[in-house]
Amino acid sequence: GLMLTTALAAPALAQDDQPYQLDEIVIYYGALGTKPIDAKSYGRSVTVLTADQIQQRGYTDVRQALSAIPGVAIAATDATLGSVFLRGGESNMTVVLIDGVKASVGYNGAYYMPGLDLSDIARIEVLRGPQSVIGGANAASGVIAITTKSAETEGLFQQAGIGYGSYGSTHLSYDLQVKGARGQLAIGVSRDHDGGFDVSGDHGVRDQSTISTLSVKGQYQLADWVTIGMMARRSYQSYDFDALSDSATTADAYVIDADMTGKRGESFGQLWAKFDSLGGRLEHKLSYSGVDYRFATYNSGVSLGANSSQHRALDYTATYALDADTVAEARQTISFAAQEETDHFRRPGSSFVYARTTRSLAAQYSGSFDSGLGIEAGVRRILNDDFADATTWNLAASWEIPSTALRLHSSIGKAVVNPDMYEQYGYSPGSFTGNPDLKPETVHGIDLGAEWRFSEAGSLDVTLFQQRISDRIITAYVPPTYAATVLNAPGTATARGVELSATYQVSPQLSLAGSYTYTHARGADGERLARRPTQVAALSATYQMLQGRASTTLGVQHVAGNYDTEWFNAAADYPTTKLPDYTLVNLSGRYGLSDRADLVARIDNLTDVDHSAAWGYASAGRTGYLGLEAKW
């Protein structure tokens, strides 16, 4: 009804019959093949956040930037761990890509965003809804694609940053990008130390974190028809965390101050080659990637054990131009893909390595037409070693209604989520046992939206969505010891809601950006799903001063209707209850000392609000930061 009413009214909204010009935004990870898709013909729900927007809005880290995007909820239990819940799905239902390499392939199928320095990020794409055709198994709630910076023009470019914040927090970063006639190279190194806060909330020892990251990526054009490339990324993190009390009966006593430490290592790598045939009408890409994770924890220096996981993937894609001589010129393409993925997992205290292999074949059609219509349709067949084979699919459409400022978009699809390695084979004596007989979860999703460009300075997008999860994997407690295990729950869990995003350039000096998400997420028995806030609203206002030399941004986020499981309340069978609502205010600013150097400052949680995304865990109070950034 909303879309129909808007569509009928739209002709009257055109101003002086002048055409509306959409921003030239392309989606790099929204297609199966190698050709980017124009956002105005893309039917799926997507948000693109560029480096300029990240800088302008004063985001402090990747999780803060993501939390301002519609449909995204971040549940952070401390400064180093934060789960991403997209459209009410589980954290392992979102595929996270870093420069095209799957990062969400650890032992539990989720990625917590550690070690990601915002100064090195060029863009973030968030695709919402089932994306299994392009993302493979587990891309059930969506895909988050993070791209690091590369040189945009020929020459040598460098940037560096240094900063100091509350409780001795420090930041150091250096990035180099060079581009020549046939090749380019980008190198980034950073070190971030977070002075932290006491996660237990007992005003004890602050839980600190230090992350060091080195990344390298490059490509070289061997000939007019072939280009090769690589990427490598290594991140190492040491961090503190607090213990959980077995005897606690209240949230305040559940997380206790303790001398617990952890070490986390991440290694990514990829080699790839792109080559043309048929005079550029058929494009190919072949890649091989690997991801290694290792986690180890300690209590007062004594090892509590470590687990490690590895992921290897061999991918081939081909894109054929249906209506032009080259893929670059084509408005209609068809793409094919073949993939083999292998996972390995070793649990703490064991030398045995569990392994499984998944293979898949996929095809997708993409087309855009002069009528304003855009279509994507795809299918993927997933062949599992350990589970039943599955077929997933997507269908999406976008329509720019002629002579109006309105674009309608909709998508529907099916995806599967394979049990992660820990759910299958994880083990902790007396507290957890995995279940090797688990079945994959199945997710069906649909959305329907309308984007209205009410002037060249502003836009509004409203999307209704629903996703249904069957064979949902849940945690169960088995008597007499009540050790936890996992199983497939009967029935269907449902998440539905609305996503709203808007931008408006009020004046040459003042710009506004806002988002709102309402999510109604329930299990098959009607219980609320934990850590999926019912309402999240975010607004940022940026004001430019001194002829653009200085700017300040005020950001406000309100979270309401968030629920979490009371894991300390065994007497009531671990109920899921409501957390307090909260509003966070962040203030940031930037001043150009010269054409090449900026002074940056920010205050997070300006009003020093007590808040929490999980029972028993405290969050940071007011913190400040002052830094210097230079480019040359």
Side-chain angles (χ1 to χ4, degrees), residues 89 109 139 163 186 259 306 337 352 371-372 385 403 426 449 458 550 611 627:
D259 184 18
F352 185 79
S371 62
D385 274 359
S403 302
H611 63 288

Side-chain angles (χ1 to χ4, degrees), residues 174-423:
Y174 171 76
D175 296 283
L176 178 149
Q177 298 116 29
V178 59
K179 185 174 183 179
R182 302 184 72 88
Q184 57 180 297
L185 178 69
I187 300 173
V189 59
S190 66
R191 184 184 184 276
D192 288 277
H193 173 72
D194 189 333
F197 57 95
D198 179 18
V199 174
S200 70
D202 296 331
H203 304 291
V205 177
R206 295 194 302 271
D207 298 301
Q208 304 182 51
S209 168
T210 302
I211 303 173
S212 300
T213 303
L214 171 66
S215 63
V216 181
K217 70 174 183 177
Q219 65 181 61
Y220 186 77
Q221 187 177 17
L222 294 175
D224 291 341
W225 57 277
V226 59
T227 300
I228 59 173
M230 58 77 65
M231 74 85 71
R233 184 180 184 88
R234 172 64 177 168
S235 179
Y236 177 79
Q237 179 182 22
S238 60
Y239 59 95
D240 304 330
F241 64 99
D242 286 338
L244 303 178
S245 172
D246 293 331
S247 59
T249 57
T250 64
D252 291 340
Y254 179 50
V255 183
I256 55 177
D257 197 32
D259 184 18
M260 311 286 281
T261 59
K263 296 180 180 180
R264 179 185 292 117
E266 305 176 358
S267 298
F268 300 170
Q270 184 185 54
L271 298 173
W272 58 264
K274 292 181 181 179
F275 49 97
D276 299 339
S277 60
L278 304 180
R281 188 158 195 168
L282 180 61
E283 289 186 351
H284 312 261
K285 182 178 181 180
L286 181 65
S287 69
Y288 180 75
S289 61
V291 178
D292 288 11
Y293 289 108
R294 179 176 172 82
F295 299 87
T297 55
Y298 306 84
N299 185 357
S300 299
V302 178
S303 175
L304 298 176
N307 64 63
S308 62
S309 59
Q310 295 83 37
H311 178 83
R312 302 291 183 265
L314 180 63
D315 294 271
Y316 168 75
T317 59
T319 301
Y320 181 74
L322 296 173
D323 63 343
D325 293 333
T326 65
V327 171
E329 299 170 327
R331 298 184 66 182
Q332 297 185 66
T333 61
I334 187 166
S335 299
F336 303 93
Q339 183 182 66
E340 179 179 273
E341 298 179 279
T342 302
D343 292 283
H344 297 84
F345 168 65
R346 187 179 67 187
R347 66 192 187 191
S350 173
S351 60
F352 185 79
V353 177
Y354 296 91
R356 72 185 189 199
T357 299
T358 301
R359 300 175 178 87
S360 61
L361 299 171
Q364 183 186 46
Y365 166 82
S366 296
S368 61
F369 304 90
D370 291 336
S371 62
L373 181 66
I375 296 175
E376 300 97 39
V379 62
R380 180 181 288 267
R381 180 65 174 170
I382 300 174
L383 310 172
N384 295 300
D385 274 359
D386 293 1
F387 320 110
D389 299 339
T391 300
T392 64
W393 53 272
N394 276 126
L395 178 64
S398 171
W399 183 36
E400 290 184 282
I401 301 177
S403 302
T404 74
L406 188 68
R407 182 179 71 92
L408 307 183
H409 56 87
S410 181
S411 69
I412 186 171
K414 172 190 173 183
V416 295
V417 182
N418 290 335
D420 61 57
M421 300 292 276
Y422 190 78
E423 290 171 336

